Amino acid sequence: MYAVETLNAQFGIADHVTFGVGAHGAVSAVIQHADGEAEVALQGAQVLRWTPRGQAPVIWLSPAARFSAGKSLRGGVPVCWPWFGAHPEDASKPAHGFARNLPWQVVATARLADATQISLRLLPGAAQMPFWPYAAELSLQIEVGATLRLRLLTRNTGVQPFTLTQALHTYLQVGDIAQVTVEGLAGLDYIDRVPGRGDVRCQQQGAVTVAGEVDRIYLGAPGSVSVTDLGLQRRIQVSKQGSQSYVVWNPWIEKSAKFGDMGSEGYRQMLCVETTNAWDDTVTVQPGTEAVLATAYSVAAL
Ligand code: TA6
């Protein structure tokens, strides 16, 4: 499916963009810049890791992550599109849509002043028509440096509008989840998605902490949030555009064990803070127009 030699000939940039097969088994691009390094799997255009210079990795990839065609690796930044979570009408369809499970094409790479950039594209085809009967072009632009920037662009290339829910489903690496707080969501309503809680609507009191399974869709969340990690003595700043919701998720012990690909105690070293269009934060894309979901991550020592 991917010819690494051809990719390096066409899109490789010495010391900045190199294609190969990673330890996890996926064909990926290693993206380098003086201020940071990342790896992007071509299946799903999935950022697998990002490490700013002088920092511990910021994007978490499960130590048990192993590539298999058609399934995203556990961790990184899975692209959930054209729906977030279970399909609204048919639970037999893949959770979080199909974009993360399909091979994307590299369209460009570039050296910028403050980052190294790679752009990838997905054209949903006949195989998706039975359950997503629309014409669209999906592209993801990734910029790697001291900041990690992701820009997911959906263009409606058909003649009928469609409505999206979507997410950049980011797994952040933390020192110990017991010493982590998320600021910037206080006072917002959230939907509690933990099974058995009935999708009850709650209000966030103060900073978010995790001492059990957390699966929340925060609504009316226009701005940025920060993740304070006492274990790694750092603060991760998350900003976004094109979204009014965030998802905060940690599977905790029991669900991690059921997944089987979280690694032992993996749940202690990760927290998903996802930039989303989820729940009632949907996006309708008219023919000939485009919608952008963008997010950026930066880190500062405490
Ligand atoms: O974003 C949180 C969530 O929807 C959880 O409910 C859980 O399902 C998680 O995504 C991971 O989903 P996945 O299909 O990647 O195992």
Side-chain angles (χ1 to χ4, degrees), residues 232-247:
L232 292 177
Q233 281 293 295
R234 69 183 183 189
R235 179 166 288 121
I236 302 170
Q237 199 68 30
V238 186
S239 62
K240 63 173 183 178
Q241 292 168 322
S243 151
Q244 291 297 316
S245 53
Y246 274 110
V247 166

Side-chain angles (χ1 to χ4, degrees), residues 79-90:
V79 175
C80 302
W81 187 95
W83 62 84
F84 175 80
H87 186 279
E89 281 101 41
D90 179 351

Side-chain angles (χ1 to χ4, degrees), residues 72 74 84-85 95-96 100 169 171 215 247 249 255 259 274:
S72 67
R74 179 66 63 192
F84 175 80
H96 291 323
R100 64 176 178 165
H169 191 297
Y171 289 72
D215 192 350
V247 166
W249 177 61
K255 187 162 278 186
F259 283 145
E274 306 161 33

Side-chain angles (χ1 to χ4, degrees), residues 120 249 286:
L120 302 103
W249 177 61
Q286 296 298 331

Side-chain angles (χ1 to χ4, degrees), residues 50 74 97 114 120 147 150 164 173 188 190-191 196 208 246:
W50 169 58
R74 179 66 63 192
D114 67 342
L120 302 103
T147 299
L150 305 175
L164 295 173
Q173 179 155 331
L188 294 181
Y190 66 85
I191 305 299
V208 179
Y246 274 110

Side-chain angles (χ1 to χ4, degrees), residues 280-294:
D280 59 2
D281 175 22
T282 62
V283 177
T284 296
V285 190
Q286 296 298 331
T289 70
E290 56 191 34
V292 175
L293 179 66

Side-chain angles (χ1 to χ4, degrees), residues 143-272:
E143 294 183 358
V144 176
T147 299
L148 175 67
R149 295 186 187 89
L150 305 175
R151 181 179 167 78
L152 184 67
L153 186 146
T154 298
R155 166 161 286 281
N156 185 339
T157 55
V159 295
Q160 51 180 333
F162 53 72
T163 297
L164 295 173
T165 55
Q166 57 184 343
L168 294 165
H169 191 297
T170 303
Y171 289 72
L172 296 175
Q173 179 155 331
V174 297
D176 180 345
I177 192 65
Q179 296 185 299
V180 170
T181 53
V182 181
E183 293 81 23
L185 297 170
L188 294 181
D189 283 1
Y190 66 85
I191 305 299
D192 190 338
R193 304 281 285 151
V194 172
R197 296 194 189 154
D199 287 346
V200 63
R201 195 176 182 112
C202 310
Q203 189 179 52
Q204 180 61 40
Q205 306 300 324
V208 179
T209 57
V210 178
E213 183 178 353
V214 168
D215 192 350
R216 300 176 184 174
I217 303 173
Y218 286 87
L219 303 172
S224 61
V225 300
S226 58
V227 177
T228 301
D229 179 351
L230 297 181
L232 292 177
Q233 281 293 295
R234 69 183 183 189
R235 179 166 288 121
I236 302 170
Q237 199 68 30
V238 186
S239 62
K240 63 173 183 178
Q241 292 168 322
S243 151
Q244 291 297 316
S245 53
Y246 274 110
V247 166
V248 176
W249 177 61
N250 184 290
W252 206 245
I253 302 167
E254 195 179 327
K255 187 162 278 186
S256 291
K258 281 184 192 155
F259 283 145
D261 59 1
M262 287 287 294
S264 66
E265 300 255 305
Y267 75 95
R268 300 197 69 89
Q269 272 80 46
M270 55 69 65
L271 179 66
C272 279

